[in-house]
Structure formats: structure tokens, C-alpha cells
Amino acid sequence: MGIKKKIKGYESCSGCGVCLLVCPLWRSTGSMAYTRKGRAKAMQGGVAPEDIASSIDACFMCGSCEPACPEGIDIVGMNLEQRRRLNESRSSYPAWYPKNEIHTSSRNSKLPQTNTILMAGRNLDGDIKIVENIVSLLGGDKSIAISDDDGRDIAAAVEAGLPVPPERIALFISLLRNAKNLIVSEGILHRQLREWLPAKKVMGIGEALLNIQSIRKALGPDDIFIVESRGYHSDFERLVKFYDRLRKDTGCLMNLDLQRIAIPTGASSLRGAHNRKTAGCSEHSAWILKGRKFKRIVVEDLSDIEVFQEITDVPVVHLSMIVK
Amino acid sequence: MQIPVIEPGCIPPDPVSPDSLKGIPRQQTNPARRSIENWKGFVEHLRSQSVLVREEKSESSVFVTDAGGLAFGLPHGVVRPNSAEDISKLLKAAQRFRVPVTVRGGGLTTEGESVAFGGILLDMSSLNKVLEIDTKAMTVRTQAGIFWHQLAEILRREGMDYLSAPLNLTASVGGTLGVGGIDVNSPRLGCSCDQAIELQVVTPTGDIMHCSETENPELFERVLLGYGQFGVITEAVLKIRKFSPLTMQYYYYASLTTAIEDLQMLSKADAADYAGILTILDRAITLLVAFDSDERQKDFEKKWKPKLRGHGEFGFGLLMAKYYLLRPWKIEEALYIVSRRFTLFPEFNRAEFMRDGKIIDRTVVFSRAVWKFWGGRQMVIPDLSAKAEKFAEAVERGNAVCRKYFKYYTLYCVGIKLKGNLPRYEMSCIPPDASDIAYGCEFEPMLRDTDYSRDYLQSFKNEIYDIGVDMGLSYYRFGGMMKGYIRSVFGDELVEKHLAMKKAADPAMILNPDVIF
């Protein structure tokens, strides 16, 4: 599925405020200035990005606001562009900004010729057991290859609004060209990959695993499944139906609000990864669970496990681990 | 007639037309043009009391206009209160320094009532916490800056729902209680403000008061439907109910009057849990009815459905085909109706918002549709409210005005059950001669594809408002009616009575200036 071309920017914001309702920062700060609406209206009023730097930096880039926007504004693109513009004019950066350089060469020396490539990314980094389990569930080495170059440096740069050299992008995607399906754990890369490789099917770990019957069957009404928000919102119109079918099939709860927007914990954002406490991840997670009855939390994004473990005694497991 | 001498710096009332708009400072868009004596002293005074006034442009720009998108103004500063005490300190200082304070919730006004033309913009949306849900007493205590949708999100986690609220995700509780609030279930449950049991209010002089029907009832009745003139609502205790999904049915009419008569028949008989009319131009008129329970639906189908004169979709489609085949020059209109039908109605049936053929999250479904199909950078929605006997004529006259001004438009009609003869209804959206059920109609042009000048839109609104004056009606969005109409509609005696009350409650006349007085 290709990216829907949207050209509307902050100048098109009517100020309806629907984006506020799904914004985790609005929920935690109660301040309009920290929301997408706040930034759009400020810029309509002639304010420069550096004057609203704290708001631009605070955004989780969860993408919740984009599907909620009735004007169809390319909000995620606008957020990324504002970070890029802000970076052009400032000399100091928040502590969570990525320190690592963009890779100058691809780490992929060679990838097996498979239909599907898995890019584990920062979210699954270091958990070989989980990565191996995912590969096994998805048909083993012959069906799926793990890309050493999972684009995590690109994902971090994109999120921070830092430039990614075209040659790095070319390197990154060069070895992906033979595959039909890309399973990408870094949700923020989904929209980029759809733009760079429009013929590929880009999906998150959740969707890939939930297409497996044994995993679907292992989910039930006692589970709450935590959808990774960035990938979900990047393909909302399709995935909202996918997850609605999951709910019907399994009866499981999800971290979706009344507008079917995925409430993020913020843990996988650069801010959250740097400091979960200052990013308010516990508060966001507590809101996800509030008033809901469940016996197990199943997460798509590995970085959500610790956040939930901090606030509840209920077992928290990765989706790939719910079947033996 | 002797024309009075004009004192420098003062524009007196027009001696020929005292209710003319002279002196209303709505054209001022730059706060620097409205100098406030000792502004710095005012800000310092508040800072010393731990109330922060935000003067950065990045803060004030957010509030430059309202949902109407036709009035523009900037405050000198924004206050985002953390408590009723903050508001109390602000209003006490505002009285002393004579600084105007404009209160804003969701900013869904259409004539600039929540736009600050200088002074302080009090952004109530920071007071958005639900304080207590009592499922035994079936009430919720909430801070009043919360949006109805935020409240719905929290209530739904407890299996609860509010009674009625505007079909708009970003309307605030406090703002709604101050102006009325209409839902599709208002023929049954009345204005949203009628679900309030108790309020915490900061008066214009900064006193924090509690009020209800038994405690400070006079204040309670003045603040509800008071258009922000008599206090800032900071907390509300509201009735709630158990959440239930709803089933919806549509009946199609070619005549406005017939559809209105059927709507009134159903509303009077309490035949459905929700009832309203939504039109595409004045050709495809849809009567929507919906039910919270299967029992109510069965009862309706047995007793009332046979009496309705509307058609099913297929039958109405044939009627429309015949009508437009005989009028080929209206092909563009026919295509518009068809395209509207096939884009709008599926929005009411999106799979993710349905369970077993019933709509869950009705507010999300309707509100998304409202913003998607009727929203925009400018929203022009003049309206009329009338007693039952005058309503059909009012709608037909308003429809003729819409026809004259716009190619495409929508009418939305609904009943409003009255709770009795309450003081709160005086000089409000409830017409003075209505009893039992009042009816309201919004006249909303579709502006998206055409650029209209502000003058054109204003002329349209004036013609609708003039119908109200001529027929002795009131206005759904009474606060949105132009200030200059208020005396014409309600008469000097009633306006003077309210003005005297306002002066007594707000000696410096600082709270929400320029909305009513």
C-alpha cells in the first residue's frame, strides 16, 4: 500500500482541536501549547520554530493526531519538518537527541533471497531469543531473513529531525529490493519505507505475528494487547479494520481509545528511551490500563514491557512469546 | 431629537438606533491597540500570587479565533489556571485593575465570544480532571474545562456515559453548561445544562461558591445558560447513565414541513430515545431516530413507525430519480445529493464503531462526521429556536434564505425538552413562549469549495437572525447571536433587568465582555 499523498500543512489547521483529544502530551500537561494544535496555531500567528522549541521537542511522534485530523493534514510530516527546521536554527539539543552518527556503510553484507525481511530495530535489540522466536513463527530461515542493517540510525535521525544523507538511504534500501514484505519493528520507519519502496508491503511485528492462527488463538478476553502506535497510525485506515477483526476473533482488549487511536506509552520514543520517568511513560501506561479488566498484558513493542512491569503485577509478555 | 455631545474617547449609543453595534471593539486584532492602564502592575500582582500570565505570542496565537473563524483578536496574556483559587485571584485582580477576562473552553463559539480582544484569555482546558464517579448515585464530579469527549473516555472505562452533550468532540463541559448544549437526545433529556446537579463557580468578583437547586439557587440559575456573564464554572456534578450502544433508523422525506411534523409527533410522544432531522439541501430530508434498547425500538416500530410519512431509502431513491429526471437542468444538484449520500452515511456505519449492528461511541461517530463534512476554517451556523407551533414556518423561511445565498447547505433540527419554567431559560436559547418542548434548527452552508467574503456570510447570518426578530423566536446558539440583536429580540425591559444583575455581580464588567453586554 502506497502512502496517501497529503500536501496540507500547519496553514490548513482549522483549530478544531480533535488532535488534542488523542495527544499524550495534552493528557499529561493539559497545556494547549504542547499539542499539535498549539504549534499549528502559533505558527499561523507568525511564531518561529525556535520560539516553540520545547513543544516541538516534547512530541513523542506517536502519530496519534494524524488519523484524528478531519482536515487530512500530514501531521507527522509536519512534526518532522518542524524538528528539522528547529535543528537548523539552534546550537544546543535536548539530552535525548541521538548521539550516534549516521552509518556511512550498510551493515548488510549479504541477505538471503527471501520474500520477507525482518528489521528488528532498537525495539527488539539485544533479545536474540525473541528475534529467533519471531523468525521461527514466521516460517524459519528459508522464509524470512534478518537484516543486519535494520535502519535504527535512520529511524533515530528521522525522529530527531536530523538529516539523513541520500546515499545512506540508498544503501539501506538496496538490499531490501528483492523482498516483497518488510517486517519493521521501528514504527517510525513505516511511512518512510512506503515512500522509498512503494511496491513493498510494510508491516509491524504485531500484524505479521497476528496473521498466524496459533498466535491469534492464544489471545483471549483476559488479555490486553498493546499495539505499537507509530506503525499503526501510519497505516490507520487499513489497520483499524485489521485490529477490529482481531478484537472480534479473540475478544482481547487493546490500547485503543474511543476514536480507535492507539494510546502510546511513549517508551519507544527517543525521549522515552532516554528517560522513561521524565517522558511520563508510567502515567501513559496507567491510563491505558485504567478501568480495564485483564489477566495478561501482551505487547508488540518490547520497550513497553518494563513500563508495564513497573506499574502492575500482571504478567507482561511479548506477542511472540505467547505460543510455545 | 437632540444629538448628545460626544466626549473625547467615548462613542455613545446611536440616538436613532441604540442597539447598533457602535463601540463594540471586535475589529481590534492587535492587543497593543487596546491599552490597559497598568497592565504590568496587573501581571506583577498576579505573579506575586503565583498566577502566571503568559504573554508570549506562541501562547496567545492559539486563541486568535474561534470555531466561527470570522472574528480575530489577541489577548494581552493567557492564564492557564491550576485551580478555582487561581481563577479567584485572577478575577479579583481583574476587577481591581479593570482588565477584561474572556473565558474559553473548546472555543466553539461562532461570533468571537471566546476570542479575547485584549485583556486576559482564561484557558479553562487545563482544568480537565474527573474528580469522582459515583456509580450508585449515578453522578460524576468533574472539572469544568474537560471536553465532553475526554469525559466520555473516562466514563466508558467504568461502563458509564453522560446524558447529553453537543455532537462535538471538543466542546467543554463548562462552556456547554453556560450556553445550553443540544444533543440528538435533547427531545427526551433536554439541554445538556439540565443534567447539572451542582456547580462550583467563581463569581466575577472572585468568590468561590457552590450552587445547586437548593444551595445558592439564584446563582445556579444565572450561571446555567448564563453565557459566562455571572461566573466561571470550575466544577460540575452531572447526572450519568449506564452506557448502551444504539440502533439507528432513517426515514426520508421530500418535504421539510412533513418531516418536521413527524419529528414533533415523535418528540411529543417520547417515541424514540434520539430524534432529529438532517438534510441535504431541502431535497433529501432525513429523519433520524435511534434507540438505547431493543424494547424501546420494538415499541416504536409497533406504535409509531406506521404513522411516519417518510420513505425507506429505496422508495425515496425512486422518488428522487423521478423528480430529477423531470428536471434535467438540476443534474448538478442531483449528483451532489447522491455523492453526499454515499460519502456521509457510510461514516455512520464504520465497522470499527459498530457492534452487532449497533453504533457504539455515538459521539465519536457523529462528531467525526460533523468535523469531516461540516467543519472547516470558517463555520457559519446561524440558527433559530421556536416553540412547536412556529417551528415549521421558521425553518421554511430560513431554508429560503439558505437557498438564496448558497448552492449547498444542510439543516439540522432537533427538539429540546424543557425542565419546567426555570429562571435559567429567561433570555436564553429557549424561546420565551415555548412550553414542554422547544425546537431548534441550524442553517449551515457548505463552504469548503467556494471562497465567500466575510460580508456575504454576515449578510446571510443577519437574514436568519432577522427571521427570529420578526417571528419572536430565540436562537439555539444564543451566545452566537450578534450582540446587536439582543435588545430587538428580548426587549429593553428584560435586557435592562439582566444588565442590572450583571452590573451588581460584575461591577467592573470585566467577565466575558462583549458577549451579551
Side-chain angles (χ1 to χ4, degrees), chain A residues 14 16-18 21 26 30-32 41 45 52 70 237 244 247 257-258 260 263 287-288 290-292, chain B residues 57-59 61-62 80 125-126 147 150 153-154 157 169-170 350-353 355 360-361 371 376 448:
Chain A
S14 65
C16 69
V18 178
L21 302 171
W26 164 253
S31 167
M32 199 89 72
K41 299 310 282 183
I52 49 172
E237 284 295 321
D244 195 52
R247 180 198 55 76
D257 68 10
L258 296 185
R260 308 300 181 265
I263 305 166
W287 166 238
I288 290 170
K290 187 177 165 61
R292 288 174 160 151
Chain B
K57 200 176 178 190
S58 58
E59 293 281 351
S61 295
V62 179
R80 219 156 44 223
S125 63
S126 57
F147 295 161
Q150 291 174 290
E153 288 274 6
I154 293 164
R157 299 283 180 99
L169 296 163
T170 54
R350 286 175 67 103
E352 64 266 30
F353 297 116
R355 298 274 190 285
I360 49 170
D361 312 321
W371 278 112
R448 285 202 172 240

Side-chain angles (χ1 to χ4, degrees), chain B residues 256 259-260 263 275-279 285-288 411-414:
Chain B
L256 268 174
I260 288 169
L263 171 73
I277 290 172
L278 192 63
T279 78
I285 297 144
T286 310
L287 174 65
L288 303 96
L411 310 179
Y412 170 55
C413 308
V414 74

Side-chain angles (χ1 to χ4, degrees), chain A residues 8 11-21 26-34 37-39 41-47 51-52 67-68 70-71 236-237 240-241 244 247-248 256-260 263 286-293, chain B residues 54 56-59 61-67 80 104-108 123 125-129 145 147-150 152-154 156-158 168-170 350-356 360-361 363-364 367-368 371-372 375-378 448:
Chain A
K8 289 182 174 179
E11 65 283 350
S12 297
C13 173
S14 65
C16 69
V18 178
C19 58
L20 300 180
L21 302 171
W26 164 253
R27 204 162 37 240
S28 58
T29 66
S31 167
M32 199 89 72
Y34 279 92
K37 173 183 170 177
R39 292 193 292 279
K41 299 310 282 183
M43 292 192 72
Q44 284 180 2
V47 168
D51 297 326
I52 49 172
E71 290 286 339
F236 179 77
E237 284 295 321
V240 73
K241 294 182 178 73
D244 195 52
R247 180 198 55 76
K248 277 182 194 154
L256 304 185
D257 68 10
L258 296 185
Q259 296 195 66
R260 308 300 181 265
I263 305 166
W287 166 238
I288 290 170
L289 302 185
K290 187 177 165 61
R292 288 174 160 151
K293 292 179 179 63
Chain B
R54 298 161 200 269
E56 309 93 297
K57 200 176 178 190
S58 58
E59 293 281 351
S61 295
V62 179
F63 306 107
V64 73
T65 188
D66 60 0
R80 219 156 44 223
R104 180 160 170 142
L108 290 169
D123 173 17
S125 63
S126 57
L127 292 182
N128 62 15
K129 299 283 179 294
F147 295 161
W148 287 100
H149 183 73
Q150 291 174 290
E153 288 274 6
I154 293 164
R156 282 290 295 281
R157 299 283 180 99
E158 307 287 331
N168 202 308
L169 296 163
T170 54
R350 286 175 67 103
E352 64 266 30
F353 297 116
M354 303 290 287
R355 298 274 190 285
D356 307 321
I360 49 170
D361 312 321
T363 48
V364 176
S367 305
R368 277 169 57 103
W371 278 112
K372 191 168 176 183
R377 273 155 277 173
Q378 291 175 327
R448 285 202 172 240

Side-chain angles (χ1 to χ4, degrees), chain A residues 11 20 43 64 73 78 80 83 104 118 135 140 145 168 189 204 223 231 268 289 291 304 318-319:
Chain A
E11 65 283 350
L20 300 180
M43 292 192 72
S64 304
I73 295 173
M78 191 160 73
L80 297 173
R83 279 207 172 150
T104 50
L118 170 68
V135 170
R168 171 68 186 108
L189 279 181
D223 293 318
S268 61
L289 302 185
D304 284 338
H318 188 262
L319 182 63

Side-chain angles (χ1 to χ4, degrees), chain B residues 493-506:
Chain B
E493 191 182 340
L494 188 58
V495 174
E496 287 301 329
K497 177 186 160 189
H498 280 252
L499 181 56
M501 289 192 294
K502 169 71 173 170
K503 283 178 176 169
D506 183 0

Side-chain angles (χ1 to χ4, degrees), chain A residues 45-67:
Chain A
V47 168
E50 50 268 37
D51 297 326
I52 49 172
S54 59
S55 173
I56 293 174
D57 285 336
C59 177
F60 280 156
M61 298 285 171
C62 64
S64 304
C65 41
E66 186 162 303

Side-chain angles (χ1 to χ4, degrees), chain B residues 112-411:
Chain B
E113 303 90 322
S114 58
V115 176
F117 301 88
I120 288 289
L121 186 294
L122 178 60
D123 173 17
M124 291 295 291
S125 63
S126 57
L127 292 182
N128 62 15
K129 299 283 179 294
V130 170
L131 304 171
E132 185 190 4
I133 298 171
D134 185 340
T135 52
K136 283 186 185 159
M138 297 300 272
T139 59
V140 59
R141 177 183 291 276
T142 180
Q143 291 183 319
I146 196 169
F147 295 161
W148 287 100
H149 183 73
Q150 291 174 290
L151 180 61
E153 288 274 6
I154 293 164
L155 289 174
R156 282 290 295 281
R157 299 283 180 99
E158 307 287 331
M160 296 288 150
D161 201 358
Y162 51 66
L163 262 57
S164 77
L167 293 179
N168 202 308
L169 296 163
T170 54
S172 73
V173 166
T176 303
L177 300 184
V179 300
I182 311 296
D183 196 342
V184 200
N185 59 18
S186 287
R188 187 150 207 250
L189 301 175
C191 286
S192 305
C193 75
D194 287 340
Q195 65 192 290
I197 297 171
E198 189 187 325
L199 302 174
Q200 184 194 62
V201 172
V202 184
T203 66
T205 48
D207 297 320
I208 301 173
M209 309 274 285
H210 286 88
C211 58
S212 65
E213 286 183 358
T214 53
E215 183 183 7
N216 297 314
E218 175 65 14
L219 179 65
F220 190 63
E221 291 296 329
R222 285 300 155 225
V223 170
L224 292 174
L225 279 163
Y227 303 91
Q229 297 303 298
F230 299 100
V232 180
I233 302 171
T234 46
E235 276 181 33
V237 178
L238 307 171
K239 291 177 198 164
I240 55 174
R241 58 178 175 161
K242 282 198 171 156
F243 164 75
S244 60
L246 63 85
T247 0
M248 187 166 244
Q249 296 181 0
Y250 307 99
Y251 298 91
Y252 300 90
Y253 297 76
S255 156
L256 268 174
T257 299
T258 309
I260 288 169
E261 286 168 358
D262 280 4
L263 171 73
Q264 292 185 328
M265 174 182 74
L266 297 181
S267 300
K268 199 173 171 187
D270 187 24
D273 294 319
Y274 307 79
I277 290 172
L278 192 63
T279 78
I280 307 173
L281 303 168
D282 56 2
R283 282 277 122 229
I285 297 144
T286 310
L287 174 65
L288 303 96
V289 291
F291 308 93
D292 283 324
S293 69
D294 295 341
E295 293 70 38
R296 288 274 292 166
Q297 185 180 352
K298 276 181 199 161
D299 195 46
F300 167 85
E301 285 174 355
K302 190 177 161 193
K303 287 185 194 164
W304 299 102
K305 190 177 170 180
K307 294 181 183 171
L308 293 180
R309 288 166 289 173
H311 302 268
E313 188 168 13
F314 182 71
F316 187 70
L318 290 178
L319 261 180
M320 284 287 99
K322 186 180 162 193
Y323 176 87
Y324 283 109
L325 278 173
L326 295 171
R327 294 167 182 81
W329 61 91
K330 288 192 170 185
I331 183 69
E332 200 183 340
E333 185 176 291
L335 291 173
Y336 173 75
I337 291 172
V338 170
S339 75
R340 195 79 178 163
R341 160 64 187 85
F342 285 103
T343 51
L344 172 62
F345 281 73
E347 282 293 315
F348 295 150
N349 297 299
R350 286 175 67 103
E352 64 266 30
F353 297 116
M354 303 290 287
R355 298 274 190 285
D356 307 321
K358 295 188 174 187
I359 298 177
I360 49 170
D361 312 321
R362 68 185 177 89
T363 48
V364 176
V365 170
F366 292 132
S367 305
R368 277 169 57 103
V370 165
W371 278 112
K372 191 168 176 183
F373 292 94
W374 289 278
R377 273 155 277 173
Q378 291 175 327
M379 289 173 79
V380 177
I381 326 172
D383 47 51
L384 297 168
S385 67
K387 68 174 185 176
E389 295 79 4
K390 292 179 180 176
F391 186 60
E393 183 190 344
V395 175
E396 292 284 8
R397 286 180 64 176
N399 175 59
V401 174
C402 289
R403 271 268 171 211
K404 187 167 71 171
Y405 277 85
F406 299 103
K407 203 168 173 182
Y408 305 121
Y409 61 90
T410 292
L411 310 179

